[in-house]
Amino acid sequence: MDPCILRVSGLSKSFGAIQALDKVDIEVARGRVHGIIGPNGSGKTTLFNCVTGLLKPNAGSVTLDGVDITNKPASWIANRGIRRTFQAGKLVPGMTVLENVMSGVNDGVATAAIDAAFRLPFVPSRRETAIRDRAMRILSLTGMDGSAGRWASDLVWTERQLVQMARALIAEPKLILLDEPASGWAVREIGEGRGDHREDPWHGDDRSSSES
Ligand SMILES: Nc1ncnc2c1ncn2[C@@H]1O[C@H](COP(=O)(O)OP(=O)(O)OP(=O)(O)O)[C@@H](O)[C@H]1O
Ligand SMILES: [Mg+2]
């Protein structure tokens, strides 16, 4: 097994005359938390965009868990285990907090979340109920479970960051990339634990039914 979950080698990306990434090498050890620090415009978001397939690098390679994911489509990469948040707090504004989190499940079980998003008059399936329960448990980790029914468009910046994290986590990714997760937060809030961290969001009694 590759000890690195992510290997970025010689990654370069330019926008016209702007060299946003210049032969970047990064190794992310399995099970570890890494930080990428740089001033505004130094290429952090561009790096995330190249790793997650939103941008095509001009050169270099990216491997996830030993698999070459360079230049693969974003959805393909997401389904193989990289999830991310966006600096601008991207959520679907016309969906509730809970529906946004539910929409983060992998493609194989996405149908129920889409049904929920479009509010079809139907009796919730076992699968949808399981996804909903899991989404609520993950939301509780972020302290946002009390906002499950609010519209995403009504959230403030920091709340959008928390919901994005929950949406990324529900897919049980191998690797999660957080783009400026602490932006807009007071220093006091960053160090504050939110939600109940004693609870395991994935290994409750709904796990088997959520995969059926
Ligand atoms: N789509 C784009 N078209 C043209 N230039 C871009 C594009 N995206 C990024 N850039 C440029 O690439 C450079 C790196 O930008 P990037 O957003 O990756 O930096 P960053 O480290 O994430 O900055 P910040 O801390 O402000 O979020 C900047 O000079 C930026 O203006
Ligand atoms: Mg950025």
Side-chain angles (χ1 to χ4, degrees):
M1 183 189 281
D2 192 330
C4 289
I5 192 75
L6 183 77
R7 288 181 192 274
V8 173
S9 307
L11 204 68
S12 296
K13 177 67 184 176
S14 57
F15 302 100
I18 297 170
Q19 186 81 41
L21 301 176
D22 186 11
K23 302 189 189 78
V24 174
D25 295 323
I26 293 175
E27 290 185 348
V28 176
R30 194 180 296 275
R32 298 291 296 275
V33 177
H34 294 251
I36 296 176
I37 300 171
N40 294 134
S42 58
K44 304 179 296 292
T45 297
T46 303
L47 173 66
F48 280 17
N49 286 342
C50 288
V51 167
T52 56
L54 291 185
L55 285 175
K56 284 193 188 306
N58 302 118
S61 66
V62 183
T63 60
L64 172 71
D65 212 2
V67 176
D68 187 355
I69 61 168
T70 321
N71 290 322
K72 292 282 195 287
S75 58
W76 190 93
I77 293 172
N79 287 331
R80 267 148 197 84
I82 300 185
R83 292 298 172 106
R84 66 172 294 178
T85 65
F86 292 86
Q87 190 167 347
K90 282 185 188 174
L91 292 172
V92 182
M95 285 165 58
T96 65
V97 164
L98 180 63
E99 288 162 355
N100 267 278
V101 176
M102 291 173 71
S103 74
V105 294
N106 282 316
D107 276 352
V109 288
T111 317
I114 291 167
D115 286 349
F118 288 99
R119 301 181 171 283
L120 297 176
F122 72 115
V123 178
S125 64
R126 257 182 73 212
R127 176 181 285 175
E128 189 202 332
T129 303
I131 294 170
R132 185 176 293 269
D133 290 349
R134 202 164 93 210
M136 282 304 296
R137 282 201 299 277
I138 291 168
L139 270 173
S140 75
L141 291 178
T142 66
M144 288 296 291
D145 46 326
S147 296
R150 288 168 63 199
W151 296 110
S153 52
D154 291 340
L155 301 181
V156 300
W157 181 272
T158 49
E159 291 174 323
R160 291 211 299 267
Q161 292 288 347
L162 291 168
V163 175
Q164 281 199 94
M165 285 180 209
R167 183 177 59 187
L169 284 168
I170 198 171
E172 302 186 44
K174 293 178 180 173
L175 177 69
I176 181 166
L177 303 176
L178 306 176
D179 197 353
E180 308 270 3
S183 76
W185 291 75
V187 173
R188 175 181 48 80
E189 292 172 317
I190 295 169
E192 230 171 46
R194 296 188 65 147
D196 183 358
H197 293 263
R198 288 167 302 177
E199 190 178 2
D200 181 336
W202 294 299
H203 300 105
D205 55 12
D206 69 338
R207 187 179 169 85
S208 54
S209 56
S210 71
E211 292 171 351
S212 61

